[in-house]
Structures are given as structure tokens and as C-alpha cells.
Amino acid sequence: MHNKQEKLFYPVIKAYFEKNQSIRKIAKNFNLHYQTVFKWIKHFKKFKNPPLFKPWNRSPEKIETLIIKYKERYPWLTIKQAQKLLLEKNIKISCYGIWNIWKRNGYSGFDKKEFSNDFTDFIILTKEAKIKLMQAEYLFSIGKITEAARILNSITWLPKNDLVLKIPEELLNLRRRIEKLSIDFGKVSLAEYIKKAKIIFQRCIKNQWYYSALRTGAALLYALSWLGDVREQKRLIKKIEKLLPNKKRRPKDLMPIYLTLLLAKIHTFIQMLKITDAMRLARYCYHLLLQHKKPLYDFLYDLAVQFIYLEDYNTAKKLLHKAMVGIDEQKKKKLMVMLAVYVYLLRCDKKNASKILNKAQIHDWATKDVHLPRFQAMLALIEGRVSEAINLSQKALDASKGTGISSDIANAYLVRASIYMALGEREKAELLLNELIKFAKKVSMRRQATIAKVLLKKIPQKEELLKLPTIRLALILKNFGYKAAYRFALKRGIMLYFYRYLLFCPEFVQKRIAKNKPTYLPKAILRLPIFNTKTDVYHINLLGKITTFRNQKYLKFHLSPKDTAILLFIITRINEPEKSLNLNELYKNFWSKSKNPARIFSHSLVRIKKALKIPAHYLEIKRQNGESYLINQNIYFTTDYQEFEQTLAQAKALERVGEWGFARKEYLRAFKLFRGEPFKKNFDNWSVDMRFKILSQFETEAINFAKSCIEHGNKNDARKILQKVLKIIPDSEEAKKLSDSLITL
């Protein structure tokens, strides 16, 4: 009967407080006496545990406190060792009794299915803790926050719960703050999270709460791995290793913390480019996880991520498939994205990548996940869709927030540089790669700096670096030739990197074409300007007086304002080969009242082709299903407005990560592109809308930049940019006010 009452206590209390049922109705529903239900509710309201939760054989509180103290001070302590220590103090207690105390207080008896880097995932909520948590929630709901915090703090350890977030942090004790760290990750800035975790870690060490220090240290290590601070990680790993036992004495309850430490060490070695050490530890961790009786799904997933960093995508694929069975739904979607990106998109297998994403119900290719649009941008580039590649790379940067933003910025540099190379603009591509090297060195991202150097044809000779397949691929291409590199990339599943290298080394492709040898490349990539000299690239500067460059050479031309507007309308709609424009859109905008707009446009198109030296068949009018279309046959059009938006996205991302020096440089590069008012002499509806859109964007971003400059004590840049705004937009009230305020500062 006693066990039955224990099982019913929580549902009874829940029915009374949450469902607002009467005592008599509850007693009837649960087949209990009315007085029993009344006593339980009375106990609950007094915030005391009912007698049925206090077994007769429970150890005294002093002994229980001592057993907890031993486990905190000596995390490696086994039950037998704890029993010996207690016997030295003439305290006799069974092994089961010690284990029961540890279980009740969150040091043992974990849910092994939920083992992960976060201990709040596998801590089990005891019956007593469940009641106390409900009591605290009840107190909080009636506005008694201090009393709620007192009840909450009386619990030893808790799994994840919302109440910890609702109660002010100053009212929470050390245990609750440690638990709150796991919930805070990703919700507060990385710098703030690390600062908070360091303070808690030091407090644990000071109090000799070494078991708690291990839990806090694991959370701190995970955060530092995102930040990329290798020195901090190394120092913290040494501190944690001092608290951990050697292999022979390590108890099972420390397995999650030990695995977290192993994964952190692997990541640190990778960031330091100690690939041999990282691979050795990764293999050891792999065998450790496979030997475990019950699959540790979360750790299998985390290890797969490390194998991705090591560029062993075949092993990563195996681990991801094993992890998929047992991880939660939210993580499963992330896993699907990783599988699609790092296993299939890297192989340029878009068909299988699409299947996986559809199966995971991730229908939008430009999701909030940064990896997906970034890889999709490279794939779009290889397929000859340059404008889509530009848009996707920008989306990847815009989606980049919080943790991991530094690597997202570095990767955005690489994608943009690849796009410029595809268009044959080597100078711009190399400028971006050099900027990447500076940024990567500043934020200790050696790997990205190395990739940038490889693309600049500075292949490292260190044997350690050559163990990374992407670096080795560059060396194989240089020393053993095209075919060997192609086979290696195919075997390792890194075809996307192979194509990227070819963009920066077009001579390899051109030689094979000249010798009439197969290139094994998709037709779309061979149509890119870097490989196809017959393709024309027009770069049109429209942010001011119109200027044009044809294949990087200045083209002097003259067109009437209306013909110029028509040209700009065309290049924004069909900016690359195989794109088409329904001419009804153009007719409606420019000649809505004309009886024969087709004839007028035909004459205008002839003038545009002649002025820009465009071959007649490169822009053709074709009729289909009674509609007229303008087809782009062989031209890539780019504009300085596209460049402005990309540079601006990069600047904002750099500012978000706190790298103001790099952000300032990008902002100034973006605003320098503005030379005057765009579409100044054009008054058709589309031109007016575009002018308003571009000028509004310029005004907003320039004013935000000026404010950031003032915050960083840089009045000179703020003054210059505001003067530029007022020169282009004289009636900007906000720019005037901010400019006037600078005088008084």
C-alpha cells in the first residue's frame, strides 16, 4: 500500500493544483480516502514532504551530507572506497545505501540512454525533487518568488526546467546556477556565457566541489571550442585533467565528463592543426563508444562532428547513421542537414542531399542553418548559377549569429573569393583571401588561413597539415596531376573542394581542353568565364554615374537615360546565361500607353548592344506560347550594388563577432562604392522604386555605422560618412541631426 501511495501522491497534487479538481472528486478518481487526500494537500501547502517519502531506514542527514561531501571532493571515488572512508569514522553503511544517497543527490543512477555533454539531460528527477519542484512552481505562480527560490535551492540536482530561468539569478544557489548554464548556451552572448561559467568554475574549485567543477568545466570547454580560443582551452583541459582519475580508477558515473573532455581535446588539437594527435584521440574515442553496452547516441553525434572537422567524411557518415536512431527530434534535423551537406553536397550529389532534407521536412534550402546555404552557394556556382551563389552566400552570413560566427565569416570570405574567380576577377578574389588570412590569424583560425594560402598557391609542406585531405588534394594536383587529384577527391568525397581548386588554377583545365583530354567536369562549370573565354562578363557600376567594365577592361559608351534604365532593368532580371525575361514586364514599365512597345524596344536593344559591344546572338528575342522573351545566351552581368550588399553583410557579421577593426574596413569599402545618386535621370516606376530602395538602405546603414564609430571613439569616420550621406541625400533629417551632434561632442 505504501508504494501505491507514493506513486499516487504526485498525480493527486497535480490534479488538485493544475486541474482544479475538488478533494472529494480526486479521492473518488484515485480510489483513496478523503482524509488521505486532505492530509497530502495540507503537507504540500506547508512545503513539507509527507511521511510516506521518509523511509524508516534512511541515513541521518549528517551522514548523508558527509557522503555527498566525499563525492564532491573526490569525484573518482567508488562506492567501496567511500565505504572504507566512512568505516574510518566508525560509520557503517551498506554499498546499496551509499549508491542510493548518490542517486538521490544526482551523482549516480543516471539515465544512460540520455548520456550527453550536458549532465542535466541524464540526471533523474526523484520523487522528492518532483514534489519540491512543483511546490516551488506553485509559490512562484502566486508571486512568492523568494520562497519559491528557497524551495528550489533545497533540491540537490535537477534536470532541465523552466523555473530556473524565471527566478532572478541572484536568488539561485551554486547548484542551480550550474544547471542554468546548460540552458543559457546559445541564448546569451558567447562572451557573457564564458565569463559566467568561469566565475562558477572558480567558486566550485574554491569550495572544493570538484565534481561540480567537472560539470561546469565541461560546459565551459564546449563554449570555448566555439570561440576558438586554443590557449584558454589548453589551460582548462589541464585543470580538468587534474580533477579526473586515471583509467584504472575511473567510475562509470564519470564517463560522460571523460567523453566530453576527450571530444574537447580532439577539437583543440584540430584547431592547433595537430592532426595526428587529433586523429589518434578520435579513433580511441570511436572504439570507446562502440565498446559501450548501450549506444551513447549524443556522443556518437558529437564525435561525428569532430570527424567532419578532420575531413574523414566516410567515418562521419557511419557515426551519423548510428546516432540517428537515438537522438531527439531537434538534433535529428541538424544531423540530417549535416548528412546532406558534408556527405552528399561535398560529393556534389544534390539528388541524395535533397532526399534527406525532404525526409527531415527541411524544405527551404536557405534555412537558418548556416552550413546549408554556404555549401549550396558553392554548388550553385559550379552549376553556373552565379547570381544564386551570391544570394546564398549572403543568406549564410545573415543567418550567422551567436556561436560559431567567426568560422561562418571565414567561410563567407572563401565563397565570395570563389565567385570572383569564377567570373575571372582574380584581383578581387586575392584581396578577399588576404583579408581572410589576417582575420583568421587574429581569431586563431589556422585552418581557414591555411586554406586561403593554398588557394593563393602557397601549399604548406608540413607533413602534419598534409594529413588533411583538402590540403593533400592541392599537393596531389600540383605534383601528380589532374587525374590523380580527381580520383583522390572522388574517393574522399571532397569533389566540391576539387572544383574550388580548379577555379583558382584554371590552367589545369585549359591544358586538358587544349590537348583534347577529358576534364570529368560538369558542362555548367566549363561555361563559367574563368574556363570559357568566349563568355563575356560585364560589371556595371550603377551607384552613381553609370560606368561599365567588359572582361575587367573599362568600356567607354554613351546611352540616353531611358536606354540606360532599360539596360539596368535587363541586367537585374537576366544577369547570367540561360535566364529569360518576359518582355511584357518591361513593356508595362516603360511603355504602358504605347500601341507598339515591341518595335520601340527592338530599336532600344540594338542601341544597347552597339554601345556595349554585345554580339547580336548573346541577347535574343524569342517567342513562346504567344509571349515574347529576351534570352541571355552568353553574358554574366554583375553590379556594384551586389558588391555593396555582400560587403555590408560581411561587415555586419564582423561587427556582431566584436571585430570592429575588420568590420570598419568592410563598411568603408562598401560605402566607397557610392559615388552619387543612382538612377538620377530615370523616372520610370521601376527606376524610382530602385532609387528609393537603394538610397534608404544606404542612409540607414551609413547612419548605423556613424553611431558605431561614435561608440568606438572614431568621430572622424562618422563625420566623413555623414557628409557623404548629406551630399547624396541632402534632405536626410537623421543624418543632419547626428552630424550636428558631432560638433557639440
Side-chain angles (χ1 to χ4, degrees):
M1 188 67 184
H2 189 270
N3 289 337
K4 183 189 173 185
Q5 286 186 332
E6 276 193 20
K7 287 176 184 176
L8 291 177
F9 183 84
Y10 183 73
V12 164
I13 297 300
K14 200 170 183 181
Y16 181 78
F17 284 99
E18 290 186 10
K19 296 178 182 177
N20 294 319
Q21 292 179 2
S22 68
I23 294 173
R24 290 191 184 279
K25 191 176 181 181
I26 292 167
K28 187 180 178 182
N29 289 344
F30 288 95
N31 197 23
L32 292 166
H33 195 277
Y34 170 83
Q35 287 295 330
T36 304
V37 176
F38 177 78
K39 283 177 186 176
W40 286 1
I41 292 165
K42 189 180 175 183
H43 269 285
F44 184 86
K45 284 183 176 178
K46 285 183 178 179
F47 310 111
K48 293 179 181 178
N49 285 326
L52 59 93
F53 282 126
K54 292 182 179 177
W56 62 271
N57 61 346
R58 180 171 287 187
S59 301
E61 196 174 329
K62 283 185 180 179
I63 293 173
E64 196 160 316
T65 304
L66 183 64
I67 291 168
I68 293 167
K69 186 182 176 183
Y70 281 148
K71 190 62 178 173
E72 276 287 358
R73 190 168 293 182
Y74 313 110
W76 58 85
L77 208 62
T78 62
I79 291 170
K80 292 263 184 189
Q81 288 167 339
Q83 197 178 39
K84 282 181 183 178
L85 285 172
L86 290 164
L87 280 171
E88 288 173 12
K89 291 186 177 285
N90 294 319
I91 299 169
K92 290 183 180 180
I93 187 167
S94 68
C95 289
Y96 178 74
I98 294 168
W99 180 84
N100 218 12
I101 290 167
W102 282 353
K103 181 191 175 185
R104 199 162 55 247
N105 290 280
Y107 298 99
S108 195
F110 305 132
D111 184 353
K112 291 177 183 177
K113 290 179 184 176
E114 299 297 326
F115 268 176
S116 71
N117 286 311
D118 181 1
F119 76 95
T120 62
D121 285 339
F122 52 83
I123 288 283
I124 290 177
L125 189 66
T126 63
K127 292 169 186 174
E128 290 177 52
K130 198 183 279 188
I131 298 301
K132 283 186 176 182
L133 181 60
M134 197 172 178
Q135 287 172 337
E137 285 170 346
Y138 170 69
L139 282 167
F140 185 85
S141 69
I142 60 172
K144 294 185 177 182
I145 296 168
T146 308
E147 290 91 333
R150 182 178 56 79
I151 295 287
L152 194 69
N153 289 337
S154 68
I155 307 169
T156 50
W157 291 103
L158 281 170
K160 280 189 179 73
N161 63 89
D162 293 333
L163 191 58
V164 172
L165 292 173
K166 293 172 185 175
I167 290 175
E169 195 156 331
E170 60 271 15
L171 295 176
L172 298 175
N173 65 7
L174 191 56
R175 282 195 181 99
R176 297 295 82 81
R177 291 185 185 193
I178 293 168
E179 291 160 0
K180 193 171 182 282
L181 276 177
S182 64
I183 307 169
D184 277 342
F185 188 75
K187 292 183 179 178
V188 298
S189 72
L190 200 56
E192 186 186 339
Y193 181 90
I194 289 168
K195 185 182 177 183
K196 194 190 291 185
K198 280 180 180 178
I199 292 166
I200 293 171
F201 182 75
Q202 290 304 326
R203 275 189 65 185
C204 289
I205 297 291
K206 190 178 178 181
N207 295 345
Q208 294 185 314
W209 285 19
Y210 298 136
Y211 198 108
S212 298
L214 285 171
R215 285 174 167 173
T216 311
L220 182 55
L221 260 179
Y222 188 70
L224 287 170
S225 71
W226 277 102
L227 190 67
D229 192 333
V230 177
R231 289 177 188 173
E232 278 281 341
Q233 282 174 260
K234 281 173 73 179
R235 279 197 289 266
L236 184 60
I237 286 168
K238 282 182 182 178
K239 286 179 184 177
I240 291 173
E241 281 181 330
K242 285 179 183 177
L243 304 175
L244 274 170
N246 59 38
K247 290 179 188 177
K248 291 178 183 177
R249 295 169 64 197
R250 189 184 309 115
K252 290 177 182 178
D253 56 71
L254 283 179
M255 177 60 82
I257 294 170
Y258 178 64
L259 286 170
T260 299
L261 180 66
L262 273 179
L263 290 164
K265 284 179 81 172
I266 294 164
H267 195 69
T268 305
F269 283 139
I270 292 168
Q271 287 176 312
M272 294 168 70
L273 294 181
K274 290 186 175 181
I275 307 303
T276 307
D277 292 335
M279 189 57 80
R280 176 181 52 80
L281 266 185
R283 291 289 172 199
Y284 170 68
C285 198
Y286 181 81
H287 292 300
L288 203 65
L289 287 171
L290 290 184
Q291 286 169 9
H292 208 270
K293 289 179 182 178
K294 291 183 179 180
L296 304 179
Y297 298 110
D298 276 82
F299 283 112
L300 287 167
Y301 171 85
D302 292 332
L303 184 60
V305 173
Q306 300 309 321
F307 272 105
I308 283 169
Y309 290 138
L310 285 165
E311 298 175 6
D312 186 348
Y313 301 110
N314 295 325
T315 306
K317 182 184 176 183
K318 289 177 190 175
L319 287 167
L320 288 172
H321 279 295
K322 286 179 185 291
M324 199 184 296
V325 180
I327 56 175
D328 60 54
E329 285 303 311
Q330 191 178 356
K331 207 170 235 187
K332 195 174 281 185
K333 284 199 174 186
K334 286 184 181 177
L335 184 150
M336 291 291 202
V337 172
M338 291 178 78
L339 202 58
V341 168
Y342 291 101
V343 175
Y344 293 107
L345 284 187
L346 262 182
R347 297 174 192 269
C348 295
D349 185 352
K350 189 177 175 180
K351 188 180 177 181
N352 278 315
S354 297
K355 278 183 185 176
I356 288 169
L357 294 170
N358 288 331
K359 191 178 178 182
Q361 295 182 330
I362 304 169
H363 301 294
D364 183 4
W365 280 79
T367 61
K368 289 178 184 177
D369 191 286
V370 178
H371 305 282
L372 198 55
R374 174 165 57 85
F375 277 85
Q376 185 65 5
M378 272 306 296
L379 196 61
L381 185 62
I382 287 158
E383 291 173 346
R385 294 175 282 111
V386 177
S387 61
E388 192 178 334
I390 291 168
N391 292 335
L392 283 162
S393 67
Q394 198 173 312
K395 279 182 181 178
L397 263 184
D398 291 338
S400 180
K401 288 169 188 171
T403 54
I405 191 170
S406 294
S407 62
D408 298 333
I409 291 166
N411 288 316
Y413 273 118
L414 288 171
V415 173
R416 284 180 66 202
S418 301
I419 291 167
Y420 281 129
M421 275 306 299
L423 294 168
E425 297 190 41
R426 184 178 287 275
E427 196 176 321
K428 285 182 180 178
E430 290 182 353
L431 176 72
L432 282 170
L433 291 176
N434 284 313
E435 283 297 313
L436 167 58
I437 292 166
K438 291 174 192 173
F439 172 72
K441 283 181 180 177
K442 174 75 166 52
V443 295
S444 304
M445 299 183 81
R446 300 180 189 181
R447 185 200 196 103
Q448 280 82 352
T450 305
I451 291 169
K453 286 175 184 175
V454 168
L455 293 175
L456 289 168
K457 300 182 182 178
K458 299 171 186 174
I459 300 171
Q461 298 303 310
K462 287 183 181 178
E463 197 175 320
E464 193 73 3
L465 290 174
L466 293 171
K467 288 179 180 177
L468 285 170
T470 51
I471 308 298
R472 205 184 321 162
L473 175 64
L475 191 72
I476 291 168
L477 185 63
K478 184 185 175 183
N479 294 345
F480 299 100
Y482 189 96
K483 204 167 182 179
Y486 174 79
R487 284 174 178 168
F488 179 79
L490 201 63
K491 184 181 176 182
R492 291 303 187 107
I494 52 172
M495 288 305 297
L496 211 59
Y497 287 101
F498 177 67
Y499 295 144
R500 174 179 273 163
Y501 286 144
L502 292 181
L503 291 173
F504 286 85
C505 306
E507 60 275 10
F508 286 102
V509 178
Q510 287 157 358
K511 281 178 186 176
R512 288 190 77 83
I513 292 169
K515 291 178 181 179
N516 204 25
K517 288 184 177 181
T519 60
Y520 313 107
L521 298 178
K523 289 179 182 178
I525 197 172
L526 291 172
R527 286 198 290 267
L528 287 170
I530 192 69
F531 303 122
N532 185 6
T533 52
K534 292 178 182 178
T535 304
D536 280 336
V537 180
Y538 283 86
H539 182 75
I540 297 173
N541 295 322
L542 55 86
L543 301 176
K545 186 183 176 183
I546 301 291
T547 57
T548 300
F549 291 83
R550 183 180 181 231
N551 300 326
Q552 289 82 59
K553 291 179 182 177
Y554 177 70
L555 180 67
K556 192 175 180 180
F557 75 100
H558 176 74
L559 282 172
S560 68
K562 189 153 191 174
D563 283 346
T564 303
I566 292 164
L567 169 65
L568 296 177
F569 188 94
I570 289 168
I571 67 168
T572 55
R573 295 294 200 280
I574 50 169
N575 48 14
E576 60 195 22
E578 296 183 7
K579 280 199 170 186
S580 61
L581 166 66
N582 189 325
L583 289 175
N584 284 332
E585 290 180 49
L586 190 138
Y587 299 157
K588 189 178 178 181
N589 182 68
F590 292 100
W591 304 286
S592 57
K593 295 178 182 179
S594 175
K595 290 180 180 178
N596 194 0
R599 186 171 176 276
I600 303 169
F601 172 65
S602 182
H603 288 296
S604 178
L605 186 61
V606 169
R607 290 193 295 271
I608 289 167
K609 286 179 181 178
K610 189 178 179 181
L612 270 66
K613 298 179 181 177
I614 298 172
H617 62 287
Y618 278 20
L619 284 174
E620 287 186 331
I621 298 173
K622 290 186 178 180
R623 286 187 66 80
Q624 189 178 349
N625 300 325
E627 298 281 351
S628 294
Y629 294 89
L630 183 66
I631 315 290
N632 183 342
Q633 299 287 20
N634 207 26
I635 311 172
Y636 285 92
F637 290 109
T638 61
T639 67
D640 54 350
Y641 180 54
Q642 285 177 314
E643 200 174 332
F644 168 74
E645 289 195 304
Q646 289 174 70
T647 312
L648 197 64
Q650 194 95 0
K652 285 180 177 180
L654 286 161
E655 190 174 4
R656 284 200 299 273
V657 83
E659 292 295 336
W660 173 248
F662 287 99
R664 173 186 165 272
K665 199 183 285 186
E666 292 294 318
Y667 274 122
L668 291 174
R669 191 176 285 136
F671 297 131
K672 192 179 178 182
L673 295 167
F674 273 84
R675 296 163 291 105
E677 185 182 337
F679 301 91
K680 192 172 183 179
K681 295 179 182 179
N682 307 127
F683 300 100
D684 59 277
N685 292 336
W686 177 80
S687 297
V688 169
D689 289 343
M690 281 297 289
R691 179 163 59 243
F692 178 76
K693 178 191 170 184
I694 293 169
L695 288 178
S696 297
Q697 189 179 4
F698 171 61
E699 181 185 19
T700 303
E701 300 299 346
I703 287 167
N704 288 340
F705 171 68
K707 287 175 181 176
S708 294
C709 284
I710 293 164
E711 284 175 19
H712 288 88
N714 187 348
K715 295 177 193 175
N716 191 37
D717 278 341
R719 195 176 289 111
K720 281 180 181 178
I721 200 66
L722 289 170
Q723 284 171 359
K724 188 165 192 173
V725 172
L726 290 169
K727 188 178 177 182
I728 297 169
I729 316 167
D731 57 346
S732 174
E733 292 295 327
E734 197 173 350
K736 281 178 188 174
K737 284 179 186 177
L738 196 57
S739 186
D740 291 341
S741 68
L742 275 173
I743 299 166
T744 57
L745 284 173

